Amino acid sequence: QLTHFMEKLVSMNFQCSSGPLGPYILDGRYNRRHRGDARIRSGAEYHLVFMDDGIIQYHYQGHLHELQPPGALLVAPGTDFELTLARGITWHDLCFDAVYQSRQTKIKHEKDDKFVCSFVHKTDRPQPPPEQIWGTKIGPKVPEPMLDGCRALIRWCNAHWWRDAQEYARANYYLGLWLLDLADWHQGRKEDNDSWLGRMQAYCRANIIHGLTVEELARHAGTSRQQLRTRMIAEAGMSPKAFLDSFRFDEACRLLRSTGEPLARISKYCGYTSPTIFTRRFREMSGLSPRAWRQQQQI
């Protein structure tokens, strides 16, 4: 059984190397009042830590902070961070890469002859910081409105990611969706579906691939083009056309930064009629071609 499990892990490790976009879970730990202390520092990977009880103190960028339960922290590489988790509290830790990095499978023994699988890096190269992946600084403290989702996510992932290739892929997918929501929160892009502007943003996100136009946006809002323009300027500070152009540009930047997709595919996804128009509009807004901008963002 262990040999079969190892074969599946090697297979999924190969499959996951097909692209740079993550995340890729490396390891998961939890403490239910019986294992002991743990120390987490910023290193070559990310850590998502959730604490159910107790009070902890952590060092971040030269300052001492306190976290009361329930609370969660996202520890990113390249930050001055250190946290000690005590024996007497309940905590969960999920270690992952935000983008793919060469690694190898590690099997370790635990009590009752149980095998626990994890991954270790083959190199010491650090992961890119959040601003290079999602376009914004994140953390370390997870905002309160996202704590319930974080608790459910990290518990589910720790219980399933190591079981087989399918569960591993599913856990990575759920973690990736949550991280995108977290990035949107920090960028102020988290849609408020109770607001008019939030509904416009959600509609754009769902339909941008179809080459969304101002007329279609006005039709969705149930108003005329002139009325849409008046309200958009009042609530977003820009015209509907500028709003759509800005939305397409933001989506293109996110995809250029965090994926290895070819420019033609990104152009199509963002609703441009051709790669040539995409390149021209992108250069107008950034001063660089999409290819040059992507190279500038790389480490």
Side-chain angles (χ1 to χ4, degrees):
Q1 290 181 348
L2 178 59
T3 302
H4 178 64
F5 185 45
M6 284 289 295
E7 290 174 351
K8 295 184 76 174
L9 285 173
V10 171
S11 173
M12 72 183 180
N13 200 21
F14 172 76
Q15 294 168 6
C16 287
S17 66
S18 59
L21 188 61
Y24 301 96
I25 296 174
L26 298 170
D27 200 358
R29 301 178 297 169
Y30 66 90
N31 182 58
R32 293 178 178 172
R33 301 181 185 277
H34 69 280
R35 289 199 171 187
D37 299 341
R39 177 173 293 180
I40 296 175
R41 297 175 177 174
S42 56
E45 61 281 317
Y46 284 79
H47 284 271
L48 181 61
V49 185
F50 192 94
M51 182 185 66
D52 285 313
D53 51 47
I55 298 176
I56 63 170
Q57 291 183 331
Y58 62 93
H59 292 270
Y60 177 67
Q61 304 293 53
H63 298 281
L64 183 64
H65 302 267
E66 186 175 271
L67 182 67
Q68 297 186 0
L73 297 168
L74 180 65
V75 184
T79 57
D80 179 16
F81 185 96
E82 184 173 347
L83 164 70
T84 299
L85 296 163
R87 177 188 300 270
I89 64 175
T90 305
W91 52 264
H92 303 259
D93 172 35
L94 198 60
C95 177
F96 64 93
D97 284 344
V99 296
Y100 182 78
Q101 184 160 302
S102 180
R103 60 205 176 146
Q104 60 188 20
T105 306
K106 178 181 179 182
I107 298 292
K108 56 185 178 181
H109 290 270
E110 286 206 345
K111 293 181 180 179
D112 303 323
D113 294 328
K114 291 182 179 179
F115 292 96
V116 178
C117 170
S118 64
F119 294 112
V120 292
H121 287 155
K122 290 184 178 179
T123 67
D124 294 329
R125 187 181 65 182
Q127 288 281 293
E131 54 266 31
Q132 287 190 314
I133 300 173
W134 299 289
T136 184
K137 292 184 178 180
I138 295 179
K141 191 174 180 180
V142 174
E144 185 174 350
M146 299 195 67
L147 285 178
D148 286 342
C150 181
R151 178 195 283 114
L153 166 81
I154 195 169
R155 287 180 175 177
W156 191 93
C157 287
N158 271 340
H160 291 82
W161 77 267
W162 46 269
R163 293 187 176 185
D164 55 41
Q166 289 75 25
E167 292 286 69
Y168 181 71
R170 189 174 289 113
N172 286 334
Y173 175 73
Y174 292 153
L175 176 59
L177 290 179
W178 185 86
L179 288 169
L180 287 175
D181 283 344
L182 181 64
D184 282 346
W185 179 275
H186 282 276
Q187 288 179 315
R189 289 169 39 188
K190 186 72 175 171
E191 290 94 358
D192 177 9
N193 290 324
D194 293 331
S195 71
W196 180 84
L197 186 59
R199 291 193 295 274
M200 292 299 101
Q201 291 172 330
Y203 182 75
C204 288
R205 196 172 300 280
N207 294 278
I208 198 72
I209 191 173
H210 303 302
L212 193 61
T213 64
V214 174
E215 288 79 6
E216 291 170 332
L217 202 60
R219 193 179 304 118
H220 173 73
T223 186
S224 67
R225 285 193 57 166
Q226 185 56 44
Q227 290 172 328
L228 175 67
R229 177 182 175 83
T230 300
R231 187 163 187 179
M232 188 66 74
I233 290 176
E235 299 211 16
M238 64 183 76
S239 68
K241 182 179 182 305
F243 178 79
L244 287 176
D245 288 343
S246 176
F247 200 94
R248 288 192 179 96
F249 177 74
D250 288 344
E251 286 297 297
C253 288
R254 182 179 66 82
L255 292 170
L256 287 168
R257 182 188 300 112
S258 59
T259 76
E261 294 291 335
L263 298 184
R265 187 172 298 175
I266 292 177
S267 169
K268 183 177 180 180
Y269 175 82
C270 295
Y272 293 96
T273 55
S274 72
T276 302
I277 293 177
F278 167 53
T279 299
R280 184 170 67 246
R281 296 285 174 82
F282 193 93
R283 190 188 296 274
E284 290 173 357
M285 299 190 73
S286 70
L288 296 171
S289 69
R291 192 181 308 277
W293 189 90
R294 170 183 268 173
Q295 291 174 349
Q296 190 181 74
Q297 300 298 308
Q298 294 176 351
I299 298 176

